[in-house]
């Protein structure tokens, strides 16, 4: 397309990092993702977490029922399930997950790093050897929340320190392991993934492409800009934009859309997570357009993810138009409401059609 073109049609994109929750919350949000994406990697940090293949398959059934309830055609959206890695995940459980054909990855949450991560891993290389070996052998990706939880490490430095303390030793011990460094937020993360040897990739969220940490404090504390890993300074945002728009197949779309009811974010101890499923492609298109790189959006959104996961690219399309899109102030969330990222602001692109 030319820079002035007023529409942009892409191969239908996928979301490689999504929180759908459960119950009425799931029913409230699943349609938003299904309207834009063909597939999504579904995060397993429910309460209790999804730690077995049986639990993942039951959760998948609940997602399929929620889609039906939302009036979406069967096959309109495919949830790609994941397991939550614990200190006790066995090689047999990984083999079962892989054999199911419906569980596509395993998620590492360092214990205490983020929302619902209490059951997470306490000592990756010390405790998870059998699971990591099985993943490496089966070619199943390990999805990594890359932040150390050491209270002595500044919250803005936790990703960079994770690379040295965990990522490098992990990948040295299991050089064939497919690793997705989830929701990278720093120049160090972007450069590590760009330059490392072996099968490593990263997802990038829309908020980390569009905003730096000033957004959290502009005119007062703004909890709807608070997510983990937290927004970083402008130099990091620019490094992420460069990575996402570079054309490198190692970088792909993962919204990390993480719905929390308004009252749990506007709170003395507000939850981490930005709701972006509603307007994900509008956000990404605005970010890519901002640096004149709309021609790189399709690779990032629609090709690099399935290629890394070893899945077929989608056949359908999604069309955006260069039209102002006013982000709603809030949307329904069961008995509560959800405030989408950048509520009340406008974006430059709007999704107008899909197939
Ligand atoms: C996520 C959530 O709410 O589940 N929150 C977030 O800020 N991203 C958890 C996560 O992915 O870290
Ligand atoms: Zn997440």
């Amino acid at each position: 397309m030319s820079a002035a073109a007023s529409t942009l049609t892409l191969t239908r994109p996928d979301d490689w990092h999504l929180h759908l929750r459960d119950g009425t919350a799931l029913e409230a949000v699943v349609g938003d993702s299904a309207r834009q994406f063909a597939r999504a990697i579904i995060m397993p940090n429910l309460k209790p977490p999804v730690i077995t293949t049986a639990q993942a398959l039951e959760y998948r059934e609940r997602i399929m029922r929620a889609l039906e309830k939302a009036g979406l055609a069967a096959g309109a959206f495919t949830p790609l399930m994941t397991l939550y890695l614990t200190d006790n995940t066995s090689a047999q459980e990984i083999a079962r997950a892989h054999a199911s054909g419906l569980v596509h990855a395993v998620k590492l949450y360092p214990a205490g790093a983020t929302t619902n991560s209490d059951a997470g891993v306490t000592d990756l290389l010390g405790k998870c050897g059998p699971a990591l070996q099985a993943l490496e052998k089966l070619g199943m990706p390990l999805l990594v929340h890359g932040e150390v939880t050491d209270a002595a490490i500044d919250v803005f430095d936790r990703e960079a320190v994770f690379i040295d303390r965990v990522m490098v030793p992990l990948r040295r011990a299991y050089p064939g392991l497919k690793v997705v460094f989830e929701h990278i937020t720093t120049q160090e993360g972007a450069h590590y993934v760009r330059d490392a040897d072996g099968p490593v990739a990263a997802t990038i969220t829309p908020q980390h492409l569009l905003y730096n940490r000033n957004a959290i404090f502009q005119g007062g504390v703004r909890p709807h800009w608070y997510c983990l890993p937290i927004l970083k300074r402008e130099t990091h945002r620019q490094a992420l934009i460069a990575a996402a728009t570079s054309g490198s197949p190692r970088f792909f779309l993962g919204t990390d859309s993480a719905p929390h009811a308004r009252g749990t974010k506007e709170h003395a101890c507000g939850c981490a997570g930005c709701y972006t499923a509603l307007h994900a492609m509008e956000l990404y298109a605005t970010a890519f357009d901002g640096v004149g790189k709309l021609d790189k959006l399709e690779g990032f959104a629609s090709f690099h993810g399935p290629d890394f996961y070893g899945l077929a690219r989608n056949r359908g399309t999604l069309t955006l138009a260069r039209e102002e899109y006013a982000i709603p102030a809030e949307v329904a969330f069961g008995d509560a409401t959800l405030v989408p990222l950048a509520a009340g602001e406008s974006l430059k692109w709007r999704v107008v059609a899909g197939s």
Side-chain angles (χ1 to χ4, degrees):
M1 64 171 288
S2 72
S6 61
T7 65
L8 174 62
T9 296
L10 308 172
T11 299
R12 195 167 182 83
D14 301 305
D15 184 350
W16 299 95
H17 185 129
L18 176 64
H19 299 269
L20 279 182
R21 313 305 190 203
D22 212 343
T24 53
L26 163 63
E27 288 171 9
V29 299
V30 71
D32 285 344
S33 291
R35 270 185 283 281
Q36 301 207 342
F37 299 105
R39 299 172 286 196
I41 281 281
I42 309 303
M43 288 294 137
N45 63 330
L46 302 182
K47 273 184 194 164
V50 177
I51 60 174
T52 66
T53 306
Q55 288 171 333
L57 300 184
E58 286 161 18
Y59 184 29
R60 185 176 184 281
E61 285 306 311
R62 297 198 295 280
I63 296 169
M64 299 315 286
R65 283 202 296 275
L67 280 163
E68 205 177 304
K69 218 168 153 180
L72 288 142
F77 179 74
T78 304
L80 308 172
M81 308 311 293
T82 61
L83 294 189
Y84 183 114
L85 186 68
T86 73
D87 287 346
N88 303 311
T89 305
S90 66
Q92 289 80 350
E93 195 57 60
I94 302 291
R96 260 196 297 278
H98 185 258
S100 76
L102 298 170
V103 178
H104 292 268
V106 172
K107 178 75 188 281
L108 162 65
Y109 287 101
T114 186
T115 309
N116 301 347
S117 63
D118 299 346
V121 168
T122 61
D123 176 9
L124 182 65
L125 289 180
K127 300 235 165 97
C128 301
L132 295 171
Q133 256 168 29
L135 287 169
E136 185 179 37
K137 191 178 94 204
L138 294 166
M140 198 173 192
L142 178 71
L143 315 183
V144 175
H145 182 112
E147 289 191 287
V148 293
T149 54
D150 184 340
I153 303 295
D154 192 279
V155 70
F156 293 99
D157 298 333
R158 288 180 178 185
E159 181 172 298
V161 173
F162 183 91
I163 296 171
D164 297 333
R165 288 198 191 167
V166 185
M167 193 61 105
V168 168
L170 166 70
R171 301 198 57 258
R172 195 175 291 135
Y174 301 94
L177 179 66
K178 279 189 178 183
V179 172
V180 183
F181 198 157
E182 294 294 335
H183 43 50
I184 55 167
T185 62
T186 59
Q187 184 171 55
E188 289 88 341
H191 289 182
Y192 173 77
V193 170
R194 182 191 67 189
D195 299 336
D197 290 328
V200 61
T203 54
I204 308 181
T205 78
Q207 65 267 28
H208 292 98
L209 293 175
L210 284 166
Y211 301 103
N212 63 42
R213 64 194 191 180
N214 290 343
I216 310 168
F217 306 107
Q218 201 174 301
V221 176
R222 301 202 299 170
H224 299 290
W225 269 265
Y226 174 57
C227 66
L228 288 171
I230 197 163
L231 294 172
K232 304 296 192 298
R233 64 170 68 237
E234 178 63 10
T235 48
H236 297 294
R237 189 189 72 83
Q238 285 179 13
L240 297 171
I241 281 278
T245 64
S246 66
S248 163
R250 290 188 167 190
F251 298 101
F252 44 85
L253 185 158
T255 61
D256 195 19
S257 179
H260 292 277
R262 179 193 272 272
T264 64
K265 288 197 62 75
E266 297 173 5
H267 191 275
C269 188
C271 293
C274 298
Y275 188 61
T276 52
L278 178 72
H279 49 338
M281 289 306 297
E282 284 88 348
L283 292 162
Y284 281 112
T286 300
F288 277 60
D289 196 12
V291 290
K293 292 281 176 69
L294 277 172
D295 60 317
K296 294 293 196 287
L297 184 58
E298 186 175 41
F300 177 79
S302 314
F303 297 158
H304 303 163
D307 293 355
F308 186 82
Y309 273 79
L311 296 169
R313 295 177 179 182
N314 294 319
R315 296 243 187 90
T317 61
L318 191 76
T319 300
L320 294 114
R322 191 190 291 278
E323 284 172 18
E324 190 175 309
Y325 169 73
I327 304 169
E330 60 178 16
V331 295
F333 189 52
D335 295 337
T337 62
L338 266 181
V339 178
L341 179 72
E345 296 184 12
S346 296
L347 298 171
K348 291 184 177 159
W349 287 86
R350 173 197 289 277
V351 172
V352 291
S355 67

